[in-house]
Amino acid sequence: MRTETPVSVQLSDYKPYPFEIEQVNLRFDLDPDATKVRSELKVRRTGGAGDALVLDGEGLTLRSISIDGQALDASCYEQTDKALIIASVPDVFTLVTEVEIAPSQNTALSGLYMSGGRFCTQCESTGFRRITFYPDRPDVMSAFHVWMAADKATYPILLSNGTPGETGELDDGRHYAVWDDPHKKPSYLFALCAGDYDVYRDSFTTMNGDEIALAIHVDKGDADRAAWAMDSLKRSMTWDEQTYGRAYDLGVFNIVAVRDFNFGAMENKGLNVFNSAYVLADEATATDADFEAIESIVAHEYFHNWTGNRITCRDWFQLCLKEGLTVFRDQNFSADMRSRPVQRIKDVIRLRARQFAEDAGPLAHSVRPDHYGSIDNLYTATVYEKGAELIGMLRRMIGEELYRKGMDLYFERHDGQAVTIEDFYKCFEDVTGEDFTQFRLWYAQAGTPEVTVEENWKPETREIEITLKQKTPPTPGQPVKKPVPIPLEMALLDEEGNLAEWTTILEDEDVTLTMEMPDTVTEPPLVSVNRDFTAPIRLNRSLTREQRLAMVRMETDPFNQWDAVQTLVKDEILALSEGSQAEPDDALVTALAGAVEQAVDDPAFAALLTRLPEVGEMFLERQPADAVALNAARKKLQSALAAKLSGFSAETLGKPTPAPFDPGAEQAGIRALRTAMIVLLGVSPDAGAADTLRGLYNNATNMTERLAALRAYTVQKGGKANEALADFEQTWKDNPLVMDKWFALQATTGDAETIKTLAAHPAFDLRNPNRVRSVVAAFTMQNLAAFHAPDGSGYQAVEEIILKADKANPALGARLLTAFEQWRILEPQAKAAAEATLKRLQSAGLSSNAADIVARALG
Ligand code: 0A1
Ligand code: ZN
């Protein structure tokens, strides 16, 4: 089979669509094997008189086509594998097409497909063209009216966007429903769901006094597990009113949970579709991390209603306009619901692990790229997470008040429009009177800027001179970079606290600041840079271990204090992995354990202090990267920390876990520290650790601790924990989300053989993205020593699975392949094996999405 080659799309080629679609009337006759879709489009020419009408359409069987009631002769239109072209059309007309599709055959999970015997859709970014012929691009916004019919017994609930209208009975046991969406929207926000669900209902009264009916649709028997998602939704609605002055704008808000879904969730207008992993939770089946993810994803999708739906993107190059901004909004929501410093640390961990790696490798691209091969591959950490950081920097530079003013102006000026990053920044230029041209370079330049800090203390004059220099490394296609404005929150510290605090915006290549200290200061003060991680940069500082230890002691910024620990620990792991040091330094382990014990009143923070950087985070520090050596070194240090904290651990775990269970931040913090101690027990040299863990597993009252104990027990037993794993499987074999955890636990603690065993398990299902990810992505992203094994066994273990997954579902295949992005920086043996695997994959017949990733990875 031949691998498809993607065609590159250029931002500079953008042209407005030459027609307006004033109204869309859709009629769905739903049948899993043969669904009929009738589309009636009210079209008006807005472009040139000679422009042909070109509609996107893929995999559609055209049954009829007419203009203004007249059937079109075959000579009047052309149907290709991607489009329907009608060369000559009037200026104003009604186009009716009838097509047939087979949702049961749709394994790509894009367009209309079946999941768990129910109909559902996924249209972002190009799924609508797999449902009907349409200008499937975000700048064509229209009012949608939907009529749908299906067998009533099998599909008693029929949902679409907007508000429900007429319903009724038809012949042959079928029934119908009508939905109207008063808000104009692009086709990617269209949704339709039909099936038999249990429904968890509630209501919300907006700040305008409107009563909204809220409903979460889940699998039969799962309704109680939707309570947390509903609670999160109501809190999100309140937060958006209070923080951004934005209220909900329809009488109903529906969520549908589906088992087979390529992403986390989708913000379709009035009908959000969610991966069931981000809806269903209770203490017995979900971990605190699950509860946290549900809270933030429910918020994210809800916030899209204003940032994404009411105001959308002109084209897909502007994806960060809705995604970066909405991630920024959901991160702030979570920070308000939980602890702001802890949330910041978690966001930065994620950014560094995913986005920094992306930015440093062959898949690097700017936040607003100027070309792409495959749109599906644009849903990246760079667009989402770095995109959010850019909004964060904007807000810091102009302050909260002007930020809110700019956002208000954005909502007022562009409501109902499809716009660009330039339109967004124009609003901020108008409210501040400032020019953001240089700042917008952040959107155009890929790569993580590196800031080097040099300090010079002059004891005679008590002056401290601080030089800051910036440099962004070259990335594919962008060899030379310009300086970007970098807002850095800074402070000078001594043992008493802060001597000074200020913000520097580093705009040029370098800047030198000189500050004179008062007479009382005789020692060089500590310079604290990028407090609260104000800018998404890498800091380059040559500090001694003593200075770094002093930083851990003296830092007044929680983020920087945590980061100082991380830097020390990273250096230690690197030294151990390179053999320049045989055993962990006892002074360091003691200091680290001391910091954990001191933070006990903020258990969530204390838990973060025990976290050692993951192997992948150290890939960027020293190259070539040796995953096996780094993993062994990390484990050595972790084990030493476990020994040092054994008393503290026994005390922490000796107390009962909080009861009754509450998923909120306070209890979650306590469980986070208990779980951190359980993780350490997994590598503890203590002879009784395995028994303790087995006891913790048996007696756990919640999934957070049960799963952590099972995992640590598996690690402690060197993978030989079959009996406990079988017990877990027996208990949870009928709960797919919990079984995903069972698969992931083994994939992250086992080796290539484990992956082969898991893939042969009867419950392994290539068609279910969650299950595939729980084996393949868990292994490739969280078990790097086994994945990057020098003999290539890790690559071999996933190669076949990825190929098969890609055949059925290109979005999934492509995403799994991104795990290879760092192959070039690996030690020579793994590097050669990875390259050979990529080349084999390239000639094995990949989808165009997957081919795009592999071609770029091979560069
Ligand atoms: N807009 C969604 C993410 C999303 C993107 C593509 C999808 O299918 C191919 C599905 C969801 C979000 O940001 O949550
Ligand atoms: Zn989003």
Side-chain angles (χ1 to χ4, degrees):
M1 194 185 146
R2 203 174 54 89
T3 288
E4 296 175 45
T5 357
V7 192
S8 176
V9 186
Q10 307 289 327
L11 169 61
S12 55
D13 286 346
Y14 174 82
K15 280 193 196 69
Y17 193 64
F19 296 91
E20 184 187 335
I21 311 292
E22 292 175 337
Q23 173 75 40
V24 187
N25 297 322
L26 296 172
R27 258 181 102 84
F28 286 88
D29 223 323
L30 294 168
D31 180 295
D33 303 319
T35 288
K36 294 191 187 66
V37 186
R38 181 185 187 274
S39 141
E40 183 185 271
L41 307 182
K42 307 263 184 227
V43 189
R44 174 183 297 275
R45 186 186 296 278
T46 48
D51 285 334
L53 181 77
V54 181
L55 302 175
D56 300 297
E58 274 174 27
L60 308 173
T61 307
L62 183 61
R63 292 287 181 222
S64 78
I65 175 163
S66 69
I67 285 189
D68 293 332
Q70 290 280 301
L72 279 197
D73 187 81
S75 63
C76 300
Y77 63 90
E78 183 195 348
Q79 187 182 354
T80 69
D81 59 345
K82 292 208 161 15
L84 178 73
I85 304 148
I86 312 176
S88 165
V89 289
D91 287 347
V92 180
F93 60 98
T94 300
L95 173 78
V96 175
T97 59
E98 286 179 307
V99 301
E100 202 175 287
I101 50 179
S104 61
Q105 304 303 308
N106 181 349
T107 57
L109 313 187
S110 160
L112 179 65
Y113 66 95
M114 306 301 293
S115 174
R118 305 180 187 93
F119 289 93
C120 71
T121 53
Q122 173 51 43
C123 291
E124 185 172 7
S125 40
T126 53
F128 196 67
R129 65 189 63 185
R130 296 161 61 88
I131 296 177
T132 187
F133 288 107
Y134 196 76
D136 193 13
R137 41 187 284 170
D139 57 345
V140 175
M141 298 176 83
S142 189
F144 282 65
H145 170 91
V146 175
W147 182 98
M148 69 178 105
D151 180 73
K152 188 171 180 179
T154 321
Y155 312 105
I157 298 183
L158 307 174
L159 303 167
S160 190
N161 315 91
T163 44
E166 192 190 324
T167 56
E169 311 283 323
L170 297 167
D171 300 340
D172 306 337
R174 292 167 78 74
H175 70 146
Y176 71 90
V178 170
W179 286 81
D180 251 305
D181 188 354
H183 299 280
K184 287 197 166 196
K185 65 168 177 288
S187 51
Y188 83 86
L189 291 173
F190 169 80
L192 176 154
C193 296
D196 196 2
Y197 308 95
D198 271 356
V199 189
Y200 188 96
R201 295 185 192 279
D202 207 328
S203 68
F204 182 83
T205 308
T206 69
M207 63 186 187
N208 307 322
D210 296 327
E211 176 93 357
I212 318 292
L214 311 175
I216 302 183
H217 302 73
V218 296
D219 278 10
K220 291 299 217 181
D222 280 344
D224 292 345
R225 293 166 67 212
W228 177 250
M230 182 61 88
D231 187 59
S232 304
L233 173 62
K234 291 194 292 180
R235 283 182 284 118
S236 309
M237 295 176 95
T238 305
W239 187 89
D240 215 16
E241 291 185 350
Q242 291 174 349
T243 318
Y244 283 85
R246 300 289 120 194
Y248 188 60
D249 53 7
L250 287 166
V252 296
F253 188 84
N254 283 310
I255 287 179
V256 174
V258 299
R259 271 197 211 175
D260 307 286
F261 200 72
N262 275 340
F263 277 73
M266 179 62 212
E267 69 262 24
N268 317 297
K269 183 78 190 188
L271 177 53
N272 286 188
V273 175
F274 271 64
N275 184 327
S276 52
Y278 300 111
V279 173
L280 303 175
D282 61 22
E283 64 194 273
T285 59
T287 63
D288 284 318
D290 296 325
F291 279 98
E292 227 176 278
I294 290 170
E295 183 178 78
S296 87
I297 295 178
V298 166
H300 179 95
E301 305 311 328
Y302 175 72
F303 297 155
H304 267 315
N305 191 52
W306 276 96
T307 49
N309 300 4
R310 292 283 291 244
I311 307 178
T312 194
C313 305
R314 187 193 73 173
D315 51 67
W316 292 116
F317 294 102
Q318 320 296 329
L319 186 59
C320 63
L321 175 85
K322 74 177 178 86
E323 296 304 347
L325 178 56
T326 307
V327 170
F328 177 70
R329 276 152 52 70
D330 84 54
Q331 287 177 346
N332 278 282
F333 166 76
S334 296
D336 284 346
M337 296 299 118
R338 294 165 182 265
S339 143
R340 190 159 277 274
V342 168
Q343 176 69 25
R344 187 69 189 133
I345 292 169
K346 288 184 178 173
D347 291 341
V348 175
I349 289 175
R350 197 179 151 101
L351 181 84
R352 283 177 171 164
R354 302 222 206 140
Q355 200 279 323
F356 280 21
E358 186 167 80
D359 239 356
L363 302 183
H365 56 277
S366 54
V367 173
R368 200 227 354 228
D370 56 12
H371 67 280
Y372 59 74
S374 163
I375 302 174
D376 287 342
N377 295 343
L378 219 69
Y379 291 79
T380 60
T382 297
V383 170
Y384 276 66
E385 264 90 39
K386 187 171 177 183
E389 292 298 319
L390 305 194
I391 306 291
M393 283 195 288
L394 165 73
R395 191 178 69 170
R396 278 189 207 265
M397 289 191 311
I398 66 177
E400 301 240 349
E401 209 173 301
L402 283 169
Y403 171 72
R404 175 65 197 270
K405 271 200 175 141
M407 284 304 298
D408 286 349
L409 179 60
Y410 176 63
F411 291 128
E412 187 191 311
R413 186 180 282 175
H414 295 298
D415 191 11
Q417 297 175 4
V419 303
T420 62
I421 284 295
E422 283 73 15
D423 295 323
F424 178 80
Y425 276 89
K426 181 74 173 64
C427 296
F428 292 90
E429 293 187 336
D430 287 355
V431 297
T432 58
E434 285 172 35
D435 178 358
F436 287 99
T437 312
Q438 194 200 355
F439 185 74
R440 288 209 315 275
L441 278 175
W442 274 104
Y443 285 85
Q445 289 189 166
T448 309
E450 264 185 43
V451 174
T452 305
V453 186
E454 280 159 18
E455 302 143 55
N456 183 16
W457 170 246
K458 301 179 182 160
E460 326 76 55
T461 51
R462 288 185 321 283
E463 275 178 332
I464 178 132
E465 212 175 66
I466 307 164
T467 303
L468 303 165
K469 291 185 190 145
Q470 66 164 297
K471 187 157 181 49
T472 303
T475 53
Q478 287 187 337
V480 183
K481 314 277 178 172
K482 294 186 183 139
V484 286
I486 302 178
L488 295 168
E489 263 176 40
M490 317 255 305
L492 293 177
L493 313 168
D494 72 1
E495 298 281 355
E496 312 297 314
N498 292 13
L499 291 161
E501 254 183 282
W502 73 98
T503 305
T504 290
I505 301 183
L506 172 60
E507 289 178 318
D508 300 325
E509 243 152 54
D510 56 83
V511 70
T512 299
L513 319 167
T514 308
M515 306 191 64
E516 196 186 317
M517 293 292 105
D519 297 353
T520 46
V521 178
T522 50
E523 295 292 307
L526 273 185
V527 185
S528 170
V529 188
N530 207 21
R531 293 161 78 76
D532 200 31
F533 203 72
T534 40
I537 54 151
R538 286 160 59 87
L539 267 186
N540 219 337
R541 294 183 79 169
S542 44
L543 297 181
T544 62
R545 171 175 287 195
E546 281 58 44
Q547 283 170 311
R548 292 202 189 276
L549 281 168
M551 197 80 104
V552 174
R553 217 176 47 246
M554 285 155 61
E555 252 301 354
T556 51
D557 175 60
F559 176 85
N560 267 6
Q561 190 194 20
W562 169 83
D563 207 29
V565 172
Q566 290 285 296
T567 312
L568 272 167
V569 164
K570 249 187 229 168
D571 287 351
E572 187 74 4
I573 295 173
L574 286 167
L576 288 166
S577 79
E578 284 157 0
S580 54
Q581 201 179 306
E583 291 304 322
D585 174 42
D586 192 55
L588 173 77
V589 180
T590 307
L592 184 52
V596 174
E597 288 180 345
Q598 258 175 26
V600 70
D601 290 336
D602 185 352
F605 186 68
L608 281 172
L609 287 173
T610 71
R611 173 197 181 271
L612 304 192
E614 296 297 336
V615 170
E617 289 173 56
M618 284 168 296
F619 275 20
L620 298 183
E621 302 297 323
R622 202 75 49 88
Q623 290 156 12
D626 184 337
V628 176
L630 286 168
N631 190 49
R634 181 182 187 276
K635 208 160 166 180
K636 232 184 211 177
L637 183 58
Q638 204 178 22
S639 184
L641 182 63
K644 190 70 72 184
L645 279 170
S646 64
F648 178 75
S649 169
E651 194 187 323
T652 306
L653 292 170
K655 292 182 197 140
T657 195
F661 182 90
D662 179 89
E666 199 180 323
Q667 276 199 11
I670 298 171
R671 282 188 294 273
L673 186 55
R674 291 173 59 83
T675 305
M677 294 304 115
I678 291 174
V679 170
L680 291 181
L681 274 180
V683 292
S684 161
D686 179 354
D691 287 346
T692 310
L693 286 166
R694 189 59 220 248
L696 284 162
Y697 167 73
N698 288 345
N699 301 324
T701 56
N702 57 73
M703 183 53 86
T704 306
E705 292 178 24
R706 187 182 304 279
L707 190 68
L710 180 60
R711 192 189 149 88
Y713 180 68
T714 309
V715 173
Q716 184 61 253
K717 299 287 266 186
K720 296 191 182 60
N722 291 351
E723 177 267 324
L725 287 163
D727 172 78
F728 190 93
E729 182 186 11
Q730 188 52 33
T731 315
W732 298 108
K733 60 181 184 311
D734 296 326
N735 185 316
L737 294 178
V738 180
M739 281 305 287
D740 287 340
K741 300 182 194 307
W742 181 85
F743 277 97
L745 185 155
Q746 294 174 75
T748 53
T749 53
D751 56 17
E753 281 312 307
T754 317
I755 297 307
K756 290 187 185 151
T757 312
L758 294 177
H761 191 284
F764 182 73
D765 178 2
L766 265 174
R767 296 285 159 95
N768 178 255
N770 286 1
R771 185 58 46 89
V772 175
R773 284 189 289 253
S774 73
V775 175
V776 181
F779 180 67
T780 60
M781 311 296 254
Q782 292 168 53
N783 191 353
L784 297 190
F787 177 51
H788 296 301
D791 62 1
S793 56
Y795 306 137
Q796 252 166 26
V798 295
E799 190 176 337
E800 259 325 285
I801 314 176
I802 296 181
L803 263 178
K804 285 190 192 146
D806 181 52
K807 284 225 159 60
N809 185 339
L812 177 63
R815 192 150 280 248
L816 294 175
L817 283 166
T818 60
F820 283 89
E821 72 184 342
Q822 285 178 302
W823 72 272
R824 257 181 219 284
I825 60 171
L826 299 171
E827 52 79 23
Q829 274 182 290
K831 182 178 173 182
E835 183 174 17
T837 311
L838 283 168
K839 290 196 165 145
R840 257 196 321 273
L841 281 163
Q842 198 169 35
S843 53
L846 295 169
S847 69
S848 76
N849 284 9
D852 174 48
I853 299 289
V854 173
R856 285 194 283 146
L858 283 170

